[in-house]
Amino acid sequence: MTSVVGAVEGSRVWSHPALGLHAVVDASGAARLGGTDQDWAQLVPLVEVTATGHGRLWSGERFIETAIGERMTYRDHETVRDGSRERTTIRLADPMTGLAAEVTLESGIGSGFLRSRVRLVNEGVEPVRLESVTTLTLGGISSSDAEDGLDGLTLHWADNDWLAECRWRQADFRDQVVSLTRSAHGHEGRGCFERYSQGSWSTGRHLPVGALTDRDGGVWLWQIESSAGWRFETGEREGAAYVALFGPDDAHHQWHQLLAPGEEFHTVPAVLVRAESGGLDTAFATLTDYRRGIRRDHPDHRALPVIYNDYMNTLMGDPTTERLLPLVEAAASAGAEVFVIDAGWYDDDAQGWWDSVGAWEAAPNRFPGGIQEVLDAIRKHDMTPGLWLEPEVVGVRSPLADTLPPEAFFRRGGLRVTEHGRHHLDLRHPAARAHLDEVVDRLVGEWGVGYLKLDYNINIGPGTENGSESAGAGLLGHHRAHLDWMAGLLDRHPRLVLENCGSGGLRMDYAQLAVAQIQSTSDQQDPLRYPPIAASAGTAAAPEQAAVWAYPQPDQSPDEIAFTLTGALLGRIHLSGFLNRMDDERFDLVRSALSVYKDIRAEIAAAHPFWPLGLPGWDDEWIAHGLRGARSTYVTVWRRESDGAVDCALAIPHLRGALADPVVLYPPTGDAGVEWDAAEGRLTVTLPRAGTAVLVRLTTGRS
């Protein structure tokens, strides 16, 4: 991508050569972010703020061009190097309100990413009621291969839903932001393209990730790290595109915050990735490395144990000792290393467990010999025992709904919030946190559980009003307390593994995944519907954190068993199914899949995702995704429909010119064909039958 050349350059206070970005103070004293020789009229202020009584200079749907943002002037800046990271803090101030802003720009030396956070402090004498604050702004984005620099841009975003996660879409920028002949009106349009979260499922509608690409393979890719409200917008400013990234705001999340003199507010983090060429594959590779760099270190990220979970298409929340023990034995024999008892282990209620949860005690009727009998059996088979837990909720029929103080729950308008038979704990309250600490310390410290699947199955809405705070501010406060609670668990139990699950992938963000080790990608039960989710999971999570269900069944054909298993082999395996009822042929297919996984998993932990057919569509017949490792390249290919060709050609440009030896790793007895064209960098895969899949490894030799 190129930027329009224009106005006189001001004083440069920060530079990032790898991104081609600079922060410059213009003649008015405002700080703006842009490229070399940038036309500064195209840029937006480094921080945009709306506050009650201080709105925008041009009214509409956009949350840029704010009065406070235009008044913010440069104070000073400082740069600190910490190993391979560099942090620059740029300080600004608004003389009218007394608001002071500290913008922290963090990057790796020579890397292609920029992480930003903003701290606002009220240094004035009157309170300021904040309504929106940007975490990161960038303007001046255009394409060099068209007369209108916006004609060459493509916009990318991902829709998300229960059972239908990571559905990437794209459109020409001009299809979403139409040309309005600014010269005839003297103003930009009032609209923009925006995506945002709603309520407490941060990815219940969309992923907090988006991108702009040009025809030359240049990319701007961004990610917002929040479970408590986020929004991004992009539009036109002076003939170029801009991007603005936000946490929660008043218009979309009922967030506002009153800053009294001396008080401060911190935005959620966001990251911007730049790739000069290589398209989305290159940009997501950089984002994957960035994600690995910000998360809490944990041995699970390197070990990648195989996880068996009894829920999906198997016990479905109805575990007992009698049902579990045969599954424990079969899972261990297949090669599983963790065994998770999913929902229902606490249920001894004739009316059902959904609206009675909260105490998290084992149900005697389900485990006549005690749940320790099953946990001990798991350990005796050399597997780590795990349990399902939904910590943030308390059922309306639970005794805890009456024994915990009212302030320990989400409330709005003075009333306790109820959603789908549950109340919601506010983890800022010491009684709520003490209750959950006691639960986890009992399960882990006394019962010996080493894996907790932390689920979250309700959208509680905009949040909680604790006193005079807004609902959105309450949700943000709880969100930060929730992250701190999870970090505290890992401080006390360093080898404990936490899985982040939100009814599948409805809270799939890197606020959570910087703390939790594993992310559930979906609750999708149809194996034919899972491939586009599994293939796109690397856009939402690092491959070694993206758990994909594989649920082979004794009544499935060998093709069907191989199909569901293959989809999980380039991420984290969440194995399920009645393995104990399988014949030898089907069980051997399971065992061989896990054996292949254990052979390659060390490379998964450092590999980069790519998509030889592009990011998949929901109904695509052929779907493919790959991992580019240090020694080998791995590609999973699915064929879902019966009509059409039996061959599929996949572009693998990073191997063009290399002598690669393509080998089918799984399934071991299939009739797939593979052929490598080094000159074209093309892998042709033949799958004679629909409903089949294959994992291929390409090991390169000399060029």
Side-chain angles (χ1 to χ4, degrees):
M1 292 181 189
T2 60
S3 302
V4 177
V5 178
V8 176
E9 184 178 270
S11 173
R12 183 177 298 177
V13 297
W14 172 86
S15 295
H16 192 307
L19 288 171
L21 288 180
H22 312 283
V24 173
V25 178
D26 65 19
S28 69
R32 303 175 190 272
L33 195 63
T36 305
D37 298 324
Q38 186 70 60
D39 180 352
W40 298 104
Q42 296 176 333
L43 305 186
V44 290
L46 196 56
V47 180
E48 294 276 27
V49 180
T50 61
T52 307
H54 305 270
R56 292 160 291 183
L57 302 177
W58 179 240
S59 190
E61 301 300 315
R62 295 147 48 126
F63 283 80
I64 64 165
E65 298 171 325
T66 64
I68 293 176
E70 290 292 336
R71 294 197 303 258
M72 283 272 187
T73 55
Y74 169 80
R75 275 184 169 175
D76 58 34
H77 74 281
E78 63 180 351
T79 298
V80 176
R81 287 199 175 189
D82 181 9
S84 62
R85 293 291 180 99
E86 183 177 276
R87 288 189 302 275
T88 296
T89 299
I90 301 173
R91 298 180 182 89
L92 314 166
D94 171 26
M96 183 175 293
T97 61
L99 277 179
E102 291 184 351
V103 185
T104 299
L105 304 175
E106 182 179 0
S107 62
I109 306 300
S111 68
F113 75 84
L114 176 66
R115 192 187 203 210
S116 179
R117 288 167 290 178
V118 175
R119 172 178 173 260
L120 285 181
V121 182
N122 185 355
E123 297 180 351
V125 297
E126 298 292 338
V128 179
R129 187 177 181 270
L130 303 173
E131 295 181 354
S132 71
V133 185
T134 56
T135 290
L136 181 63
T137 60
L138 176 68
I141 301 172
S142 63
S143 180
S144 61
D145 61 354
E147 183 176 348
D148 177 351
L150 299 182
D151 281 342
L153 295 180
T154 301
L155 179 61
H156 305 260
W157 72 96
D159 293 340
N160 219 59
D161 198 356
W162 184 55
L163 313 181
E165 291 85 351
C166 303
R167 300 185 334 274
W168 279 86
R169 302 183 182 280
Q170 68 179 57
D172 289 345
F173 186 85
R174 275 301 188 206
D175 286 347
Q176 302 294 322
V177 181
V178 299
S179 178
L180 298 176
T181 318
R182 187 187 191 284
S183 60
H185 304 285
H187 285 288
E188 306 289 358
R190 299 185 186 273
C192 60
F193 178 90
E194 64 176 359
R195 289 293 181 265
Y196 54 89
S197 65
Q198 183 177 45
S200 57
W201 276 335
S202 60
T203 55
R205 298 159 62 102
H206 311 284
L207 293 183
V209 185
L212 286 171
T213 61
D214 66 23
R215 294 167 183 162
D216 295 327
V219 183
W220 289 107
L221 173 68
W222 57 85
Q223 167 183 284
I224 306 171
E225 296 155 21
S226 172
S227 292
W230 59 266
R231 175 178 174 270
F232 67 74
E233 68 174 72
T234 181
E236 181 177 1
R237 180 180 169 94
E238 296 282 355
Y242 74 90
V243 173
L245 311 181
F246 302 79
D249 65 54
D250 192 27
H252 301 85
H253 311 98
Q254 297 184 32
W255 177 88
H256 57 261
Q257 184 155 333
L258 189 68
L259 279 192
E263 291 184 339
E264 61 185 51
F265 169 72
H266 295 252
T267 67
V268 302
V271 65
L272 186 69
V273 168
R274 171 64 167 154
E276 289 283 354
S277 60
L280 289 173
D281 287 354
T282 299
F284 274 114
T286 300
L287 184 60
T288 299
D289 286 339
Y290 163 81
R291 289 166 168 171
R292 288 168 173 155
I294 64 168
R295 68 191 180 193
R296 180 188 180 110
D297 185 48
H298 196 284
D300 181 80
H301 296 146
R302 294 172 288 279
L304 278 62
V306 174
I307 301 156
Y308 182 93
N309 182 301
D310 69 32
Y311 184 82
M312 192 60 70
N313 291 348
T314 310
L315 298 187
M316 299 298 291
D318 194 17
T320 65
T321 299
E322 182 181 10
R323 293 169 182 153
L324 285 167
L325 290 180
L327 290 173
V328 168
E329 184 174 354
S333 180
E337 296 154 305
V338 177
F339 190 102
V340 179
I341 304 171
D342 207 280
W345 58 270
Y346 39 78
D347 177 28
D348 239 355
D349 194 318
Q351 298 181 55
W353 58 264
W354 182 264
D355 58 359
S356 64
V357 296
W360 309 112
E361 298 281 358
N365 289 338
R366 292 184 174 275
F367 307 100
I371 196 171
Q372 281 294 350
E373 179 183 359
V374 180
L375 299 177
D376 287 345
I378 294 170
R379 280 187 286 267
K380 287 177 182 176
H381 284 85
D382 295 323
M383 294 186 293
T384 299
L387 288 176
W388 180 94
L389 196 67
E390 196 169 359
E392 294 164 84
V393 302
V394 170
V396 297
R397 293 192 298 110
S398 171
L400 285 161
D402 298 319
T403 57
L404 288 173
E407 297 80 12
F409 295 94
F410 273 36
R411 295 171 297 158
R412 294 199 289 271
L415 302 175
R416 187 181 301 188
V417 178
T418 303
E419 175 71 12
H420 198 179
R422 274 99 176 273
H423 303 307
H424 196 293
L425 292 173
D426 186 341
L427 284 180
R428 295 174 296 177
H429 195 281
R433 182 155 178 165
H435 158 63
L436 290 184
D437 281 343
E438 183 278 326
V439 167
V440 174
D441 290 346
R442 169 167 45 87
L443 301 183
V444 178
E446 298 177 21
W447 294 12
V449 169
Y451 184 108
L452 288 176
K453 176 179 177 178
L454 302 181
D455 211 342
Y456 187 70
N457 288 301
I458 61 172
N459 188 333
I460 202 63
T464 179
E465 299 163 347
N466 186 2
S468 62
E469 74 179 353
S470 66
L475 182 61
L476 181 58
H478 162 76
H479 153 66
R480 287 170 166 164
H482 179 229
L483 296 179
D484 185 69
W485 172 73
M486 288 197 301
L489 299 184
L490 295 170
D491 288 341
R492 298 197 303 278
H493 309 287
R495 299 196 68 83
L496 174 66
V497 175
L498 299 179
E499 176 191 336
N500 182 47
C501 180
S503 224
L506 300 186
R507 198 160 65 169
M508 188 160 41
D509 60 73
Y510 259 85
Q512 300 281 336
L513 284 173
V515 183
Q517 286 67 61
I518 300 176
Q519 173 65 52
S520 174
T521 57
S522 187
D523 278 352
Q524 177 57 249
Q525 292 177 248
D526 182 350
L528 287 173
R529 284 295 187 189
Y530 216 130
I533 302 170
S536 299
T539 65
E544 66 274 18
Q545 290 183 276
V548 175
W549 286 104
Y551 26 60
Q553 300 296 349
D555 59 350
Q556 289 178 336
S557 70
D559 277 352
E560 290 171 323
I561 288 176
F563 189 90
T564 185
L565 287 163
T566 302
L569 296 179
L570 293 185
R572 294 299 296 275
I573 297 178
H574 265 186
L575 183 66
S576 197
F578 290 104
L579 308 183
N580 55 309
R581 303 177 188 174
M582 287 184 171
D583 60 26
D584 289 345
E585 178 188 8
R586 287 163 175 77
F587 193 78
D588 284 345
L589 275 173
V590 177
R591 200 194 322 255
S592 65
L594 302 193
S595 178
V596 166
Y597 182 77
K598 291 176 182 180
D599 285 342
I600 69 173
R601 62 185 171 186
E603 285 198 83
I604 292 174
H608 297 123
F610 68 97
W611 294 270
L613 298 176
L615 290 169
W618 185 246
D619 295 314
D620 286 356
E621 175 184 0
W622 290 87
I623 292 173
H625 86 110
L627 289 182
R628 181 178 180 177
R631 297 186 301 273
S632 302
T633 293
Y634 300 90
V635 182
T636 299
V637 185
W638 295 264
R639 180 189 171 196
R640 294 197 290 178
E641 303 297 332
S642 58
D643 297 332
V646 300
D647 299 329
C648 183
L650 297 89
I652 308 180
H654 69 267
L655 294 182
R656 184 178 293 119
L659 297 179
D661 179 22
V663 176
V664 174
L665 295 183
Y666 189 82
T669 57
D671 50 4
V674 290
E675 182 179 342
W676 174 244
D677 185 331
E680 297 294 329
R682 182 175 61 234
L683 175 69
T684 300
V685 175
T686 302
L687 293 176
R689 296 180 305 284
T692 56
V694 65
L695 172 63
V696 180
R697 177 175 62 197
L698 295 102
T699 303
T700 57
R702 61 183 177 82
S703 298

